[in-house]
Amino acid sequence: MIYYVNDEAQKNGDHEVHTATCFYLPKSKTYLGDFASCKPAVQIAKKKYPQSNGCFYCSKDCHTT
Ligand SMILES: [Zn+2]
């Protein structure tokens, strides 16, 4: 699965990590890589945006509130 991180933060400061096929994939995004699960994708995203979080819809296993 290809993962991206949103370059724009949510209102709470989170940068959401999405799969390439997610309905909520933003226009302004950074390519993270091809991973078997969202967990390594979020780890990579956190190097760029320390407050990264999995998308509730496509990466629910990595979504924290
Ligand atoms: Zn998503």
Side-chain angles (χ1 to χ4, degrees):
M1 194 74 80
I2 305 290
Y3 285 89
Y4 291 91
V5 61
N6 191 342
D7 288 328
E8 292 176 16
Q10 304 303 114
K11 284 196 178 102
N12 65 3
D14 282 357
H15 287 265
E16 288 189 321
V17 173
H18 296 275
T19 62
T21 56
C22 181
F23 181 77
Y24 294 97
L25 190 67
K27 280 198 180 75
S28 180
K29 59 190 181 298
T30 297
Y31 176 79
L32 294 172
D34 192 351
F35 303 104
S37 83
C38 58
K39 291 194 174 82
V42 170
Q43 288 307 110
I44 300 296
K46 281 183 173 173
K47 289 181 181 170
K48 181 163 189 180
Y49 301 117
Q51 195 176 334
S52 294
N53 196 2
C55 167
F56 178 82
Y57 298 96
C58 68
S59 304
K60 202 164 185 227
D61 286 351
C62 298
H63 178 78
T64 57
T65 52

